[in-house]
Amino acid sequence: MLRWVIFLIVFVVVDVYAFQAFRNVVKNNWIQILYWAISVLVIGNFIFHYYGFNRSDGFSHAHAYAFGFLIALLVPKMVLLLGMFAEDIFRVPQAIFRYFTEGSAAKGNYFASRRQFISKIALGLAAIPLASIIYGIYKGKYNYKVLKYTLHFEDLPAAFDGYKLTQISDIHSGSFDNIEKVKYAVDLINQQESDVILFTGDIVNNKADELVPYKNVFNKLKAKDGLYSVLGNHDYGDYVNWESKEAKLQNLEHLKSIQKDIGFNLLLNESKYLEKDGEKIALVGVENWGAGGFKKAGNLKLAASKIKKDDFKILMSHDPSHWDQQVVSDDYHYHLTLSGHTHGMQFGIEIPGWFKWSPVKWRYKHWAGIYEELGQYINVNRGFGYLAFPGRVGIWPEITVIELKKGKVTV
């Protein structure tokens, strides 16, 4: 109860302060009433869906949109608050100074014209995140991008020169609300005509049943050398309050069965050779291994126990912290690791080839795109789906296509 009281106090303070900027620019009383009506509706809807909420009871589309609308309302108002507060840093000391130097002769609003100017600037700046978040909720979450990379390896078997793989990650099927958009994305994946499709975990939010409506969508995925997958932290059902251990285990078995029906070969701490023209590369899949409290079911040594140290190796591991903490320093040289998990936080600023930023960088050293250490590469996929916040802003859903080339990079 206390946290809700604190939340409401903070929200009201932000709202009242932001309203000062709104009122300075918008004089119409009815529009001002609309401002408060929207605020009351959004915060009321959020409290209705989240008061007494327990994550283990499930996260519905209504929960997602209640959270999304709150973010759409709160972030622009925070921008207004910051703008007005920054102006007060200059205005309030001047007002105090005039009071003590002029006394009762000091009349009127201090810097009133500048206050209105600052209000207009603040409203203009606040409109940017408002428009971005609304776009992210209604369009951005299905704004699929195909990102293509070419990686060179001197020890790549010659038969695999030009070999293409498509990576997808973090489908989170329970979050989808538009099956036609998902069908479009599956068609987009198939259009890449890669040799193999690799999925790096989190196919559901919590329960296997979430995947059932999309089984006949994802089973359209095709690749000459097949489809392979690993489990992510959400796939185990750890975030659900199951009635028994047996029910939880049955859910996981159901998930494995659906993946098999789709056509995925699920690698559970095991390996598989991909062969071409008498040569081969090792595909290694570990179960989820994550730092910071996430499940550590992955066993790299077990997964690689049936391959050779000098094999060319592609590792599928859901959480990029596994690469940081175990893979790079392992005796086996893992040429390419494929991960996901971070979603790029579904929020950030990115100019391809020039600049990328997201708050998630403060949690994960490797959070989106290609990284290289000690001659080993990792690609952290930004995710196919979305979770909690029902949208994406600046960090779009990703389909990765990686072409393997033999030899050194030539300039």
Side-chain angles (χ1 to χ4, degrees):
M1 184 64 182
L2 178 61
R3 64 178 181 177
W4 282 103
V5 173
I6 295 173
F7 169 75
L8 284 173
I9 291 173
V10 171
F11 195 90
V12 169
V13 170
V14 171
D15 224 341
V16 169
Y17 216 102
F19 181 68
Q20 295 179 36
F22 188 80
R23 183 180 57 186
N24 283 336
V25 176
V26 180
K27 304 299 184 182
N28 187 291
N29 289 335
W30 287 107
I31 297 179
Q32 291 181 11
I33 292 173
L34 181 62
Y35 172 98
W36 287 111
I38 292 174
S39 292
V40 171
L41 285 172
V42 170
I43 192 66
N45 184 54
F46 181 79
I47 293 173
F48 175 78
H49 284 98
Y50 281 91
Y51 187 79
F53 171 73
N54 189 324
R55 181 180 178 181
S56 65
D57 294 331
F59 193 82
S60 67
H61 289 149
H63 286 101
Y65 278 103
F67 178 65
F69 290 142
L70 179 72
I71 295 298
L73 190 70
L74 185 59
V75 172
K77 290 183 178 182
M78 290 296 296
V79 173
L80 290 176
L81 182 147
L82 292 173
M84 301 304 287
F85 182 75
E87 197 266 347
D88 275 349
I89 292 175
F90 296 96
R91 187 173 69 92
V92 173
Q94 183 67 19
I96 295 172
F97 175 77
R98 286 190 62 186
Y99 175 79
F100 283 105
T101 57
E102 301 178 31
S104 59
K107 297 179 180 180
N109 295 325
Y110 304 103
F111 299 100
S113 62
R114 191 176 73 178
R115 183 75 167 183
Q116 189 175 52
F117 173 74
I118 294 297
S119 296
K120 290 179 179 179
I121 295 296
L123 280 171
L125 292 175
I128 297 173
L130 176 61
S132 298
I133 293 170
I134 291 175
Y135 175 83
I137 291 174
Y138 287 101
K139 294 289 185 180
K141 61 189 178 187
Y142 296 121
N143 185 23
Y144 296 100
K145 300 297 182 183
V146 178
L147 302 184
K148 296 184 178 183
Y149 304 97
T150 300
L151 299 179
H152 292 77
F153 302 92
E154 292 187 74
D155 56 347
L156 178 71
F160 287 87
D161 186 24
Y163 194 81
K164 286 203 309 182
L165 60 90
T166 288
Q167 180 200 1
I168 53 175
S169 191
D170 298 88
I171 287 174
H172 288 286
S173 54
S175 296
F176 292 139
D177 56 11
N178 190 326
I179 196 168
E180 295 304 317
K181 295 292 186 181
V182 181
K183 289 179 179 178
Y184 161 77
V186 168
D187 288 340
L188 192 58
I189 293 169
N190 286 334
Q191 288 171 23
Q192 307 312 310
E193 297 183 336
S194 290
D195 296 286
V196 66
I197 294 175
L198 307 176
F199 172 67
T200 47
D202 277 2
I203 202 164
V204 295
N205 293 342
N206 293 301
K207 296 182 177 181
D209 288 343
E210 299 168 16
L211 186 56
V212 173
Y214 297 93
K215 183 172 73 171
N216 291 330
V217 176
F218 288 110
N219 69 4
K220 302 297 190 297
L221 290 170
K222 303 296 179 186
K224 179 172 60 69
D225 290 342
L227 286 63
Y228 294 88
S229 65
V230 293
L231 296 177
N233 55 296
H234 281 265
D235 295 325
Y236 296 90
D238 288 343
Y239 308 125
V240 177
N241 186 21
W242 299 99
E243 61 271 20
S244 65
K245 291 182 179 179
E246 291 73 18
K248 182 180 179 181
L249 180 60
Q250 184 179 9
N251 176 75
L252 182 57
E253 293 305 314
H254 186 202
L255 183 72
K256 294 176 183 178
S257 174
I258 298 174
Q259 288 211 32
K260 183 177 180 181
D261 291 341
I262 288 172
F264 282 116
N265 296 286
L266 183 61
L267 299 178
L268 301 170
N269 292 325
E270 53 190 323
S271 61
K272 167 77 176 180
Y273 279 113
L274 301 176
E275 300 187 14
K276 186 177 182 180
D277 298 337
E279 295 185 294
K280 60 186 180 181
I281 60 177
L283 180 62
V284 182
V286 296
E287 294 196 49
N288 190 76
W289 192 104
F294 287 104
K295 193 178 192 76
K296 287 183 170 64
N299 187 326
L300 187 60
K301 296 298 184 185
L302 175 61
S305 61
K306 295 183 179 180
I307 65 172
K308 298 177 182 178
K309 187 175 182 179
D310 59 352
D311 284 331
F312 186 93
K313 294 174 284 295
I314 297 175
L315 173 67
M316 301 167 66
S317 181
H318 177 69
D319 193 318
S321 61
H322 188 210
W323 193 69
D324 299 338
Q325 299 191 23
Q326 286 194 349
V327 177
V328 169
S329 59
D330 193 85
D331 290 339
Y332 275 32
H333 181 90
Y334 289 90
H335 298 75
L336 174 61
T337 297
L338 303 175
S339 297
H341 183 62
T342 72
H343 298 208
M345 202 175 172
Q346 298 169 213
F347 172 82
I349 302 170
E350 189 163 10
I351 304 173
W354 290 89
F355 176 79
K356 66 180 178 183
W357 176 88
S358 169
V360 78
K361 68 177 294 184
W362 298 321
R363 171 65 175 83
Y364 291 96
K365 179 180 178 182
H366 306 102
W367 59 274
I370 297 282
Y371 302 87
E372 184 271 334
E373 285 186 22
L374 302 176
Q376 301 172 84
Y377 291 90
I378 183 173
N379 180 64
V380 184
N381 184 284
R382 294 160 181 82
F384 183 92
Y386 52 93
L387 180 68
F389 175 67
R392 284 178 174 266
V393 179
I395 303 294
W396 312 120
E398 175 181 344
I399 298 164
T400 311
V401 178
I402 298 176
E403 182 179 9
L404 307 179
K405 295 294 291 182
K406 185 173 179 62
K408 295 182 178 181
V409 177
T410 56
V411 179

